[in-house]
Amino acid sequence: MKAAIQAIEYYLPEQVLSSAQLASQFPDWPLEKIDRRTGIRERHIAGSDECSSDLGVAAARKLFESGVCQPGDIDYVLLCTQSPDYFLPSTACLLQDRLGIPTSAGALDFNLGCSGYIYGLSLAQGLIETGQAERLLLITAETYSKFIHPLDKSVRTIFGDAAAATLIEGVEGDGSPYIGPFVLGTDGRGAQNLIVPTGGMRHPRSPESGVPKEAESGNWRSCDNLYMDGPKVFEFTLRVVPDCVAAALKRAQKQIHEIDHFVFHQANEFMLEHLRAKLHIPPERFSIALSGCGNTVSSTIPIAMKQGREKGQIQSDHLIMLVGFGVGYSWGATFVRWP
Amino acid sequence: MPSTSRQYTNPIEVGIGDQTLGDVKEMLCRALEMPNSSLTGNEALADLRAWDSLAVLNLMAGIDARYSITLSPETILACDTIRDVAMLVSRRRESG
C-alpha cells in the first residue's frame, strides 16, 4: 500500500484582524507598507475560549461532512500543534473523543511549527506503509495569537490562527510514490530566534515574566509572548531553503522544471517572492496563499494546497513540491502526487 | 552607536568597485523609499530615515539576490556606513 493524500479541509476562526485595523492602531505602519511587505490582508483570530482542539475539530468535521470518510473510518490521529489545550493530556486524545473516532485508533501530538506539515506527512507515510494505520487524520492547528502581545506589530501583522485536516489513506500504488521522498533537517542553534520563552518547565510563567517591556521598533512584549527575530529567521531561510530544495530534487531524481507546482510554507510574501526568484520558479507554478489568512504556521501548506486545487493550479496527478521551514530551526521538503 | 566621524579606508585600496557601492545604495534606497541620488555612501546607516530591522532584511535580500551572498543581520548591523556594507560585500565576493 502507498500512502496518499485524499482530501484537505481547513477552518479559519470567525474573528478577523484586517491590515486596515492594524494600520489605524500603528500610525507608523501604513496599510500599503503592511500589504506590500507581508502580502497579508486579513488574519483570523481565535476567540478567547477557542483553542487548538476547537479549530481542529471544526476542520475535521468539514472533512467528514464532505463525505470522503467518516469518523469511524479513522484509525490514527496525528496532531501538529505548539499551542495545545493542555500540557497534558495530548490534545489528539481530546480530538479522538470529540470527533467520535474509534478508541482503537492511535493518537498523538507532535510539537513543530512551520515544518510540521512535512513531518506529519513523513510520520503518516511511515505508519501507513508499515501497516500500522490505513486511514489517518493529520490535523495541524495553531492559536499563536494567544502568545502575541497586542502591541507587537512585528508578529501581529504576520500570524493568523487556523487548523487544517488532511486525510491520508493507503491506496494501491501504480509504482510511483504518492508521498515522498523526504529531506528533513534540524538546527537547534536557532531556538532563541523564534520562541515563547516562558510557560514551560525551564522558565515557568510568573507575575514578573508577564510584564511587557518596550523592544525594538516600538514593539512591546513580555517573556510570556511570542518573540521572532525576523532578520535572523530570514538569514536561516536564505541559508537552508535553496539547499533543501536542491537536496530533495536530487533525492527524487528530478529537475526543477519537472515539478508541476510548488507549495512553500507561507511565511510572508516578501520571503516567498525572494525564494521563488532565487530558485527560478515561474510565478504560475508557485503558490502564494496568505492574503486572507496570514501565516498560519503548520497549516499554511495544506491551506495553500486546498486553495490551489480550488483554483485549478493543482490538478490530479500533478507532482507537487512541498517545503516547510521555521521555528526550531526545523525544515523539510517532500513531493506529493494527488491521486 | 554609529560613528559618523570614523576615518574610512580609501575604497579603491580595498578593491570596492563603483558598481558594488552603487548596487548597495540602490538596494537601500529601494528599502527606505528614498531617491537614489540622495546618498553618497558615506552616511551612517543608523542615521538613515526608517533604518530598522525591515531595512536590514531588505538589504540582506538584495545582496543575496544580486550576489548570492548571505550576510547575517549582525554583520550588517556592525557596519557603520553604506560604504562599509559595500566593502563587506566586495570582500565576500573576493573570498568566494
Side-chain angles (χ1 to χ4, degrees), chain B residues 18-90:
Chain B
D18 284 347
Q19 184 63 50
T20 310
L21 181 59
D23 285 348
V24 172
K25 279 164 55 180
E26 189 188 324
M27 290 168 201
L28 265 172
C29 288
R30 205 179 308 128
L32 302 174
E33 296 170 3
M34 53 199 289
N36 198 3
S37 56
S38 61
L39 294 177
T40 66
N42 293 324
E43 295 85 353
L45 291 167
D47 292 344
L48 296 172
R49 184 184 59 82
W51 174 249
D52 60 7
S53 61
L54 282 174
V56 172
L57 205 142
N58 272 283
L59 194 52
M60 289 168 66
I63 292 166
D64 182 66
R66 176 74 177 82
Y67 300 110
S68 293
I69 292 171
T70 305
L71 293 181
S72 69
E74 298 95 316
T75 316
I76 290 177
L77 290 168
C79 294
D80 288 333
T81 67
I82 300 168
R83 196 175 291 278
D84 288 346
V85 177
M87 285 196 283
L88 182 64
V89 171
S90 292

Side-chain angles (χ1 to χ4, degrees), chain A residues 311-331:
Chain A
K311 290 177 186 166
Q313 296 168 323
I314 294 174
Q315 294 166 16
S316 293
D317 224 33
H318 265 179
L319 182 61
I320 309 156
M321 184 178 207
L322 310 181
V323 187
F325 46 88
V327 56
Y329 297 138
S330 170
W331 63 93

